[in-house]
Amino acid sequence: MALGCRQGGRWCGRAPLGRPVLRRRPPAARVAGEAEAASPARPYAAAAGGDEAASGEELLEVCWRRHFLRGGAEPRPALPWRAYLSGCHPGFGPLGVALRGNLAAQWWDSALAFREQVFAVDAPLHGPPAAGPPRAGQGLRLLRSETLREALRGRGCSQEPGGPSLEEVLGSAGTLRESLLPGALAQYVSCIELVNKRLPCGLAQIGVCFHSIPESEQHNQNLTRIGERTTSSLAWFSSPRTAGQWLDYWLRQRLQWWRKFAVGPSNFSSSDFQDEEGRRGFNLHYRFPWGTETIETLKNFGDTELLQMYPGDSSKLLGRDGRKNVIPHVLSVSGNLDRGVLAYLFDSLQLAENPLTKKKNSQRKVLKLHPCLAPLKVALDVGKGPTTELRQVCQGLFNELSENRISVWPGYLETMQVSLEQLYTKYDEMSVLFMVLITDATLENGVVQLRSRDTTMKEMMHISRLKDFLTKLCIKDDEQQLAQ
């Protein structure tokens, strides 16, 4: 089984069982409301103690336990948040991958859905060897360890002739990409031809990039560690006359985009900067309990990057700005989707007093991810009744909901019996929007129990209404979100 993103994302591996016929004709649908009495939920940073919230240990445990993140299993030592922020970790778990996939799908929708002149592109993870001898700080290089050993051995023992020198080995090594922008610039000429040289236009891409870990974060100061990140990139080409206006537009658009999925929108903010050459840009930040971290960078590169990419004849770079032909300025909008996932995990964690236990200071943890981002929309589980028939009903519902692009967790496959309270806790921590409970009453009259993550309301609903009800909430809410 595997999780996917919002566009077609669902659990796979369906069994050949069909949906059984109910024992008798169901009566009219009965609806009854019930809620778990609980105190209002509070954001994690406000509800937890200062030191506890700053370290984020409680959220880390939830993310490890529910497989949003990897790295907390024994015998390996648990990883701190800094390892995930720097991109030096074992990767995301299945639910974290699905969350990032949903975030990427929303980014694509925002970049492409209503843009007549934005095209999706792709580029290789590594580039060819650079021309000339290698220079310091020229990038991360791909090199076989055996080849490097031979070069170092030959450098230390000059009496071994015929072997490649260290400079030759480094010069022939390819480079790992540290940004998606060069790959987009390499396709600018074909892009401008597609739009009949009309400005503005853009190239969008999502892919993995690599970077060196800062020395302050390394365990060994003599070794450079490599981190990786999933990057979203929009290269926007506009006339020099309107480049400043477009930079301000994308700042507003991107800040609004990050905030619209958040429980606490004010935690997302922006700051401006200028590089050494005086080029203007903005950083978008998320305020974690320990401080702010950059999640996206916008920058006006001017025409320098294009002229360096295409030396010589610059006429092929010209685009039309009204009646004038100009070399466009390049605006880069580059986001770190991995950090975005971590930001939304922190943003979504809510703590509330747990009414289902008599223990003091026991708090219910809920990941209230935005419905568009939640990895799973529905969990199907079984209660009291004949196990085989109940699972057949669940399998039929699973197929029906999955065919309607609703991601479903097959909880009915679990063989270990647990209480309803434990199921509620589990699915709240997994950020499942709705739990559907199939019982012997379902076989008798077709009624199922539907529980909401956000309200904890439990409603009795006829099984024939379930698909339309969930489709309306899970799919149409996504479409309404895109229209905003």
Side-chain angles (χ1 to χ4, degrees):
M1 296 181 182
L3 279 171
C5 66
R6 181 185 64 83
Q7 297 177 334
R10 54 180 178 265
W11 281 88
C12 305
R14 304 172 183 171
L17 296 173
R19 180 173 169 180
V21 178
L22 301 177
R23 292 179 181 173
R24 70 170 184 241
R25 184 70 178 172
R30 304 186 283 118
V31 178
E34 179 186 356
E36 304 156 19
S39 59
R42 293 169 291 167
Y44 173 55
D51 294 338
E52 182 183 2
S55 64
E57 291 182 1
E58 195 164 14
L59 177 59
L60 264 180
E61 291 177 0
V62 172
C63 292
W64 290 332
R65 183 166 61 249
R66 302 308 176 195
H67 304 286
F68 283 93
L69 301 176
R70 295 174 57 205
E74 297 293 344
R76 292 183 177 182
L79 294 176
W81 280 111
R82 179 53 54 185
Y84 295 98
L85 288 167
S86 64
C88 193
H89 57 88
F92 291 158
L95 266 64
V97 171
L99 171 56
R100 184 176 61 192
N102 289 343
L103 186 61
Q106 293 295 326
W107 184 89
W108 277 115
D109 289 336
S110 69
L112 298 177
F114 307 108
R115 305 282 169 204
E116 296 178 353
Q117 292 177 276
V118 177
F119 303 98
V121 295
D122 197 8
L125 285 168
H126 58 85
R135 299 189 302 272
Q138 203 174 31
L140 304 171
R141 293 182 175 270
L142 283 171
L143 198 62
R144 293 179 63 89
S145 57
E146 294 84 356
T147 305
L148 180 59
R149 288 194 192 98
E150 291 178 6
L152 291 174
R153 191 179 301 117
R155 185 179 186 183
C157 305
S158 57
Q159 64 268 23
E160 295 184 10
S165 67
L166 182 59
E167 287 73 16
E168 291 173 339
V169 169
L170 292 177
S172 62
T175 56
L176 289 172
R177 69 182 182 192
E178 299 182 63
S179 169
L180 297 180
L181 182 59
L185 295 180
Q187 303 187 54
Y188 164 75
V189 172
S190 58
C191 165
I192 201 70
E193 293 291 341
L194 278 174
V195 296
N196 196 25
K197 294 187 175 294
R198 185 179 58 196
L199 296 174
C201 61
L203 296 175
Q205 182 180 359
I206 289 180
V208 175
C209 293
F210 302 87
H211 57 272
S212 299
I213 304 296
E215 292 183 0
S216 59
E217 299 179 18
Q218 296 182 27
H219 301 292
N220 189 332
Q221 300 296 329
N222 297 320
L223 296 176
T224 299
R225 301 168 66 197
I226 296 177
E228 63 179 67
R229 66 193 184 279
T230 303
T231 302
S232 61
S233 173
L234 174 65
W236 187 252
F237 306 97
S238 71
S239 69
R241 179 179 58 86
T242 60
Q245 298 173 16
W246 277 113
L247 184 63
D248 292 335
Y249 165 81
W250 284 116
L251 170 65
R252 294 191 301 270
Q253 198 271 348
R254 295 306 303 152
L255 188 57
Q256 180 184 11
W257 184 85
W258 286 104
R259 285 176 169 175
K260 74 179 181 179
F261 300 114
V263 177
S266 61
N267 287 324
F268 291 91
S269 60
S270 66
S271 63
D272 62 336
F273 67 88
Q274 279 191 340
D275 64 11
E276 297 175 352
E277 301 177 17
R279 297 181 295 193
R280 181 168 167 246
F282 297 93
N283 285 324
L284 302 186
H285 312 278
Y286 180 77
R287 186 173 67 240
F288 290 90
W290 56 80
T292 59
E293 302 283 352
T294 300
I295 57 174
E296 192 162 31
T297 299
L298 300 84
K299 187 175 180 180
N300 182 357
F301 284 93
D303 58 9
T304 306
E305 305 296 319
L306 269 181
L307 293 174
Q308 290 178 351
M309 179 67 68
Y310 299 93
D313 184 13
S314 61
S315 61
K316 58 185 177 183
L317 303 179
L318 295 175
R320 290 190 294 110
D321 176 27
R323 297 183 179 181
K324 294 182 179 180
N325 290 325
V326 296
I327 296 178
H329 280 199
V330 179
L331 308 183
S332 171
V333 182
S334 179
N336 188 329
L337 294 184
D338 291 343
R339 285 194 177 184
V341 167
L342 302 180
Y344 284 123
L345 286 173
F346 262 98
D347 173 77
S348 66
L349 181 60
Q350 303 281 301
L351 302 179
E353 295 302 321
N354 191 348
L356 303 176
T357 178
K358 296 181 180 179
K359 296 180 180 179
K360 293 183 178 180
N361 301 323
S362 177
Q363 292 180 315
R364 185 172 68 97
K365 305 177 187 67
V366 186
L367 283 180
K368 291 194 174 182
L369 289 167
H370 190 281
C372 292
L373 302 183
L376 297 161
K377 314 304 184 193
V378 179
L380 296 176
D381 228 298
V382 295
K384 295 180 180 180
T387 303
T388 301
E389 294 185 49
L390 294 180
R391 286 186 176 178
Q392 286 182 326
V393 175
C394 288
Q395 187 66 64
L397 272 178
F398 180 95
N399 295 340
E400 188 175 36
L401 296 177
S402 296
E403 289 168 0
N404 284 270
R405 297 187 301 148
I406 299 175
S407 54
V408 186
W409 175 269
Y412 55 89
L413 297 179
E414 180 63 56
T415 57
M416 183 180 297
Q417 294 292 327
V418 296
S419 66
L420 279 179
E421 290 77 9
Q422 290 172 312
L423 282 179
Y424 298 156
T425 297
K426 173 183 176 180
Y427 293 139
D428 284 346
E429 292 182 356
M430 292 171 65
S431 196
V432 178
L433 298 181
F434 297 99
M435 172 188 165
V436 177
L437 188 66
I438 308 297
T439 65
D440 53 359
T442 309
L443 301 177
E444 292 290 339
N445 53 31
V447 173
V448 301
Q449 184 189 94
L450 184 70
R451 177 187 181 269
S452 168
R453 176 200 71 184
D454 294 337
T455 66
T456 71
M457 290 285 294
K458 292 185 281 290
E459 180 179 358
M460 307 306 292
M461 179 178 295
H462 193 268
I463 195 170
S464 62
R465 292 183 51 211
L466 195 59
K467 183 195 72 173
D468 292 339
F469 177 81
L470 294 174
T471 300
K472 179 180 179 181
L473 289 179
C474 298
I475 301 301
K476 291 188 177 180
D477 281 356
D478 282 5
E479 295 174 351
Q480 292 173 1
Q481 191 70 35
L482 294 177
Q484 293 181 1

